[in-house]
Amino acid sequence: MKRVVITGAGTINALGHDVPQTWAAMAEGRCGIGELKIRDVERLSIKIGGQVRDYVPEDHFNRQQIALYDRFTQFTLLAAKQAMAQSGLTFSGELAARSGVVLGTSGGGLTTQDENYRVVYEEGKNRVHPFVVPKLMNNAACSHVSMEYNLKGPSFTVATACASSNHAMGQAFQFIRSGMAPAMVTGGSESMLCFGGVKAWEGLRVMSKDACRPFSANRNGMVQGEGAAVFVFEEYEHAKARGADILAEVIGFAMTSDASDIVMPSKQGAARAISGALRDARINPEEVGYINAHGTGTAANDKTECAAVADAFGAHADKLMISSTKSMHGHLIGGTGAVELLACVMALRDGVIAPTIGYEEYDPECSLDVVPNEARQANVDVVLSNAFAFGGLNAVLALRKV
């Protein structure tokens, strides 16, 4: 089995337009959630989100590109550009033929759908732009990244709701570990902060009107975010031979299905995914120092996740640090696991554990060390990233310091 390392990372999200800005915000416990600036926000009961601020598409793309790139694709391309620049990889010949792209998203081009429903149903027009379909399809971002960087190997999009990015990165990891690909571009993106997107989520009655407070007894729901994070995964010997700067090593991955309920999480399903990642990585529970939690801020998710961690880790659960960075950047749905992996890399590389901000009241059902409100300096060698999606689809990644 090949070893798999991360040699490049890029992002744009509510905390920053690149990785250094995002890490600085996480280390400071800064909140990127604020008032939504979208059309018809006055018709929404939820008026907050982790929106990407000060973003002007024309600063990055020409008019023809903007006509073809939905907002989620734009975010992906910007994050991929950063990741590729950091990795220093260029793809040609055999390397290009065997390397690919696996990305996660849930809503895909939802902004494009929203805009064009308005055109047809509200404005009564009988035609839409000829690029609507290639702009809104879930694989648009993946396809444009493959074209931009000449990636001709296995490339596709994963859509498993809130676990999409972790599933995507897990597949990229397995491609390289098995020897099928020497390098993969992977991660995820989402941009559902449009009127239709927020209105649909309102219907679930799981959204907070004021703040995301994971694990706090007074939590009252999740807050949506948007953005992207993209990574370059590479076979270790390949990266070492070219002198690449290695950010972290990906050592394990597991996925499970609850097979029980379309929206309610299962402790057993989550615990099996956690234990499966430990087994796949061939590590003992005691080696894990930090978990980036799914931690949505809903009553059901947080207590279920804490119970699952307790089951999977036993007595060591009380010694773990577990935090939810969704409290800062919001829940990016299909893109969330990718942005959260940045917190895992920061923990390994810089020894900084991102906090769970907004924590106000102790909850006996969430009695683990949730790193409340302030970041912490700690030396950790192994971390996990949890993602537990609607539909009962779970995906957990394990990373190690290099």
PDB file of all heavy atoms in Angstrom, residues 213-233:
ATOM      1  N   ARG A 213     -23.855  27.298  18.044  1.00  0.00           N
ATOM      2  CA  ARG A 213     -23.254  27.022  19.353  1.00  0.00           C
ATOM      3  C   ARG A 213     -23.129  25.512  19.575  1.00  0.00           C
ATOM      4  O   ARG A 213     -23.842  24.938  20.408  1.00  0.00           O
ATOM      5  CB  ARG A 213     -24.104  27.647  20.467  1.00  0.00           C
ATOM      6  CG  ARG A 213     -24.090  29.159  20.501  1.00  0.00           C
ATOM      7  CD  ARG A 213     -24.910  29.697  21.661  1.00  0.00           C
ATOM      8  NE  ARG A 213     -26.330  29.593  21.377  1.00  0.00           N
ATOM      9  CZ  ARG A 213     -27.059  30.558  20.807  1.00  0.00           C
ATOM     10  NH1 ARG A 213     -26.492  31.707  20.486  1.00  0.00           N
ATOM     11  NH2 ARG A 213     -28.333  30.376  20.566  1.00  0.00           N
ATOM     12  N   PRO A 214     -22.242  24.851  18.851  1.00  0.00           N
ATOM     13  CA  PRO A 214     -22.122  23.398  19.010  1.00  0.00           C
ATOM     14  C   PRO A 214     -21.783  22.991  20.442  1.00  0.00           C
ATOM     15  O   PRO A 214     -21.000  23.664  21.117  1.00  0.00           O
ATOM     16  CB  PRO A 214     -20.968  23.043  18.064  1.00  0.00           C
ATOM     17  CG  PRO A 214     -20.945  24.152  17.070  1.00  0.00           C
ATOM     18  CD  PRO A 214     -21.333  25.373  17.842  1.00  0.00           C
ATOM     19  N   PHE A 215     -22.411  21.929  20.897  1.00  0.00           N
ATOM     20  CA  PHE A 215     -22.164  21.283  22.193  1.00  0.00           C
ATOM     21  C   PHE A 215     -22.626  22.097  23.395  1.00  0.00           C
ATOM     22  O   PHE A 215     -22.575  21.601  24.521  1.00  0.00           O
ATOM     23  CB  PHE A 215     -20.677  20.908  22.352  1.00  0.00           C
ATOM     24  CG  PHE A 215     -20.138  20.108  21.212  1.00  0.00           C
ATOM     25  CD1 PHE A 215     -19.101  20.595  20.419  1.00  0.00           C
ATOM     26  CD2 PHE A 215     -20.680  18.875  20.899  1.00  0.00           C
ATOM     27  CE1 PHE A 215     -18.605  19.857  19.350  1.00  0.00           C
ATOM     28  CE2 PHE A 215     -20.186  18.118  19.830  1.00  0.00           C
ATOM     29  CZ  PHE A 215     -19.147  18.618  19.061  1.00  0.00           C
ATOM     30  N   SER A 216     -23.048  23.330  23.197  1.00  0.00           N
ATOM     31  CA  SER A 216     -23.552  24.153  24.293  1.00  0.00           C
ATOM     32  C   SER A 216     -25.001  23.774  24.569  1.00  0.00           C
ATOM     33  O   SER A 216     -25.786  23.552  23.637  1.00  0.00           O
ATOM     34  CB  SER A 216     -23.459  25.633  23.928  1.00  0.00           C
ATOM     35  OG  SER A 216     -23.805  26.449  25.023  1.00  0.00           O
ATOM     36  N   ALA A 217     -25.374  23.722  25.843  1.00  0.00           N
ATOM     37  CA  ALA A 217     -26.729  23.284  26.205  1.00  0.00           C
ATOM     38  C   ALA A 217     -27.806  24.165  25.585  1.00  0.00           C
ATOM     39  O   ALA A 217     -28.927  23.713  25.347  1.00  0.00           O
ATOM     40  CB  ALA A 217     -26.879  23.260  27.720  1.00  0.00           C
ATOM     41  N   ASN A 218     -27.485  25.425  25.313  1.00  0.00           N
ATOM     42  CA  ASN A 218     -28.472  26.346  24.739  1.00  0.00           C
ATOM     43  C   ASN A 218     -28.365  26.454  23.217  1.00  0.00           C
ATOM     44  O   ASN A 218     -28.893  27.396  22.618  1.00  0.00           O
ATOM     45  CB  ASN A 218     -28.344  27.732  25.366  1.00  0.00           C
ATOM     46  CG  ASN A 218     -26.994  28.385  25.075  1.00  0.00           C
ATOM     47  OD1 ASN A 218     -26.013  27.700  24.778  1.00  0.00           O
ATOM     48  ND2 ASN A 218     -26.932  29.706  25.180  1.00  0.00           N
ATOM     49  N   ARG A 219     -27.718  25.488  22.577  1.00  0.00           N
ATOM     50  CA  ARG A 219     -27.637  25.504  21.111  1.00  0.00           C
ATOM     51  C   ARG A 219     -29.048  25.408  20.527  1.00  0.00           C
ATOM     52  O   ARG A 219     -29.926  24.755  21.089  1.00  0.00           O
ATOM     53  CB  ARG A 219     -26.765  24.346  20.616  1.00  0.00           C
ATOM     54  CG  ARG A 219     -27.281  22.954  20.947  1.00  0.00           C
ATOM     55  CD  ARG A 219     -26.220  21.897  20.639  1.00  0.00           C
ATOM     56  NE  ARG A 219     -26.681  20.536  20.931  1.00  0.00           N
ATOM     57  CZ  ARG A 219     -26.645  19.961  22.121  1.00  0.00           C
ATOM     58  NH1 ARG A 219     -26.189  20.628  23.177  1.00  0.00           N
ATOM     59  NH2 ARG A 219     -27.067  18.714  22.270  1.00  0.00           N
ATOM     60  N   ASN A 220     -29.227  26.044  19.378  1.00  0.00           N
ATOM     61  CA  ASN A 220     -30.572  26.045  18.792  1.00  0.00           C
ATOM     62  C   ASN A 220     -30.563  25.853  17.279  1.00  0.00           C
ATOM     63  O   ASN A 220     -31.500  26.231  16.595  1.00  0.00           O
ATOM     64  CB  ASN A 220     -31.320  27.335  19.157  1.00  0.00           C
ATOM     65  CG  ASN A 220     -30.626  28.583  18.638  1.00  0.00           C
ATOM     66  OD1 ASN A 220     -29.561  28.502  18.023  1.00  0.00           O
ATOM     67  ND2 ASN A 220     -31.227  29.744  18.889  1.00  0.00           N
ATOM     68  N   GLY A 221     -29.499  25.244  16.776  1.00  0.00           N
ATOM     69  CA  GLY A 221     -29.525  24.919  15.356  1.00  0.00           C
ATOM     70  C   GLY A 221     -28.251  25.268  14.626  1.00  0.00           C
ATOM     71  O   GLY A 221     -27.325  25.879  15.160  1.00  0.00           O
ATOM     72  N   MET A 222     -28.203  24.859  13.375  1.00  0.00           N
ATOM     73  CA  MET A 222     -27.045  25.088  12.524  1.00  0.00           C
ATOM     74  C   MET A 222     -27.154  26.414  11.785  1.00  0.00           C
ATOM     75  O   MET A 222     -28.222  27.025  11.712  1.00  0.00           O
ATOM     76  CB  MET A 222     -26.889  23.947  11.524  1.00  0.00           C
ATOM     77  CG  MET A 222     -28.108  23.728  10.647  1.00  0.00           C
ATOM     78  SD  MET A 222     -27.828  22.532   9.319  1.00  0.00           S
ATOM     79  CE  MET A 222     -27.202  23.611   8.033  1.00  0.00           C
ATOM     80  N   VAL A 223     -26.021  26.847  11.250  1.00  0.00           N
ATOM     81  CA  VAL A 223     -25.954  28.041  10.420  1.00  0.00           C
ATOM     82  C   VAL A 223     -25.213  27.659   9.145  1.00  0.00           C
ATOM     83  O   VAL A 223     -24.130  27.074   9.193  1.00  0.00           O
ATOM     84  CB  VAL A 223     -25.205  29.188  11.132  1.00  0.00           C
ATOM     85  CG1 VAL A 223     -25.055  30.386  10.193  1.00  0.00           C
ATOM     86  CG2 VAL A 223     -25.934  29.604  12.409  1.00  0.00           C
ATOM     87  N   GLN A 224     -25.794  27.979   8.009  1.00  0.00           N
ATOM     88  CA  GLN A 224     -25.164  27.628   6.730  1.00  0.00           C
ATOM     89  C   GLN A 224     -23.972  28.516   6.423  1.00  0.00           C
ATOM     90  O   GLN A 224     -23.942  29.696   6.768  1.00  0.00           O
ATOM     91  CB  GLN A 224     -26.168  27.765   5.584  1.00  0.00           C
ATOM     92  CG  GLN A 224     -27.013  26.543   5.336  1.00  0.00           C
ATOM     93  CD  GLN A 224     -27.619  26.570   3.945  1.00  0.00           C
ATOM     94  OE1 GLN A 224     -26.940  26.327   2.950  1.00  0.00           O
ATOM     95  NE2 GLN A 224     -28.902  26.854   3.875  1.00  0.00           N
ATOM     96  N   GLY A 225     -23.000  27.936   5.737  1.00  0.00           N
ATOM     97  CA  GLY A 225     -21.872  28.701   5.220  1.00  0.00           C
ATOM     98  C   GLY A 225     -21.686  28.402   3.742  1.00  0.00           C
ATOM     99  O   GLY A 225     -22.461  27.650   3.141  1.00  0.00           O
ATOM    100  N   GLU A 226     -20.652  28.986   3.157  1.00  0.00           N
ATOM    101  CA  GLU A 226     -20.331  28.718   1.752  1.00  0.00           C
ATOM    102  C   GLU A 226     -18.820  28.813   1.569  1.00  0.00           C
ATOM    103  O   GLU A 226     -18.100  29.331   2.426  1.00  0.00           O
ATOM    104  CB  GLU A 226     -21.042  29.709   0.825  1.00  0.00           C
ATOM    105  CG  GLU A 226     -20.570  31.142   0.976  1.00  0.00           C
ATOM    106  CD  GLU A 226     -21.150  32.096  -0.065  1.00  0.00           C
ATOM    107  OE1 GLU A 226     -21.888  31.634  -0.952  1.00  0.00           O
ATOM    108  OE2 GLU A 226     -20.848  33.301   0.013  1.00  0.00           O
ATOM    109  N   GLY A 227     -18.353  28.305   0.443  1.00  0.00           N
ATOM    110  CA  GLY A 227     -16.930  28.377   0.147  1.00  0.00           C
ATOM    111  C   GLY A 227     -16.401  27.066  -0.385  1.00  0.00           C
ATOM    112  O   GLY A 227     -17.164  26.188  -0.808  1.00  0.00           O
ATOM    113  N   ALA A 228     -15.076  26.931  -0.355  1.00  0.00           N
ATOM    114  CA  ALA A 228     -14.422  25.734  -0.880  1.00  0.00           C
ATOM    115  C   ALA A 228     -13.081  25.538  -0.198  1.00  0.00           C
ATOM    116  O   ALA A 228     -12.473  26.494   0.294  1.00  0.00           O
ATOM    117  CB  ALA A 228     -14.211  25.860  -2.393  1.00  0.00           C
ATOM    118  N   ALA A 229     -12.639  24.300  -0.173  1.00  0.00           N
ATOM    119  CA  ALA A 229     -11.252  23.972   0.173  1.00  0.00           C
ATOM    120  C   ALA A 229     -10.818  22.833  -0.741  1.00  0.00           C
ATOM    121  O   ALA A 229     -11.584  21.896  -0.974  1.00  0.00           O
ATOM    122  CB  ALA A 229     -11.114  23.570   1.633  1.00  0.00           C
ATOM    123  N   VAL A 230      -9.623  22.953  -1.265  1.00  0.00           N
ATOM    124  CA  VAL A 230      -9.097  21.976  -2.212  1.00  0.00           C
ATOM    125  C   VAL A 230      -7.674  21.606  -1.795  1.00  0.00           C
ATOM    126  O   VAL A 230      -6.901  22.467  -1.352  1.00  0.00           O
ATOM    127  CB  VAL A 230      -9.113  22.531  -3.651  1.00  0.00           C
ATOM    128  CG1 VAL A 230      -8.411  21.584  -4.623  1.00  0.00           C
ATOM    129  CG2 VAL A 230     -10.551  22.784  -4.107  1.00  0.00           C
ATOM    130  N   PHE A 231      -7.339  20.328  -1.946  1.00  0.00           N
ATOM    131  CA  PHE A 231      -6.034  19.808  -1.546  1.00  0.00           C
ATOM    132  C   PHE A 231      -5.401  19.032  -2.686  1.00  0.00           C
ATOM    133  O   PHE A 231      -6.101  18.487  -3.546  1.00  0.00           O
ATOM    134  CB  PHE A 231      -6.176  18.875  -0.343  1.00  0.00           C
ATOM    135  CG  PHE A 231      -6.817  19.520   0.856  1.00  0.00           C
ATOM    136  CD1 PHE A 231      -8.197  19.518   1.000  1.00  0.00           C
ATOM    137  CD2 PHE A 231      -6.045  20.152   1.819  1.00  0.00           C
ATOM    138  CE1 PHE A 231      -8.799  20.121   2.087  1.00  0.00           C
ATOM    139  CE2 PHE A 231      -6.628  20.747   2.916  1.00  0.00           C
ATOM    140  CZ  PHE A 231      -8.009  20.744   3.053  1.00  0.00           C
ATOM    141  N   VAL A 232      -4.086  18.968  -2.656  1.00  0.00           N
ATOM    142  CA  VAL A 232      -3.353  18.051  -3.528  1.00  0.00           C
ATOM    143  C   VAL A 232      -2.896  16.890  -2.669  1.00  0.00           C
ATOM    144  O   VAL A 232      -2.121  17.064  -1.724  1.00  0.00           O
ATOM    145  CB  VAL A 232      -2.145  18.729  -4.191  1.00  0.00           C
ATOM    146  CG1 VAL A 232      -1.353  17.712  -5.016  1.00  0.00           C
ATOM    147  CG2 VAL A 232      -2.595  19.890  -5.068  1.00  0.00           C
ATOM    148  N   PHE A 233      -3.441  15.705  -2.939  1.00  0.00           N
ATOM    149  CA  PHE A 233      -3.001  14.459  -2.318  1.00  0.00           C
ATOM    150  C   PHE A 233      -1.969  13.828  -3.262  1.00  0.00           C
ATOM    151  O   PHE A 233      -2.185  13.791  -4.479  1.00  0.00           O
ATOM    152  CB  PHE A 233      -4.161  13.483  -2.135  1.00  0.00           C
ATOM    153  CG  PHE A 233      -5.086  13.793  -0.981  1.00  0.00           C
ATOM    154  CD1 PHE A 233      -5.070  15.024  -0.341  1.00  0.00           C
ATOM    155  CD2 PHE A 233      -5.995  12.831  -0.542  1.00  0.00           C
ATOM    156  CE1 PHE A 233      -5.933  15.298   0.721  1.00  0.00           C
ATOM    157  CE2 PHE A 233      -6.860  13.092   0.517  1.00  0.00           C
ATOM    158  CZ  PHE A 233      -6.834  14.323   1.152  1.00  0.00           C
TER     159      PHE A 233
END
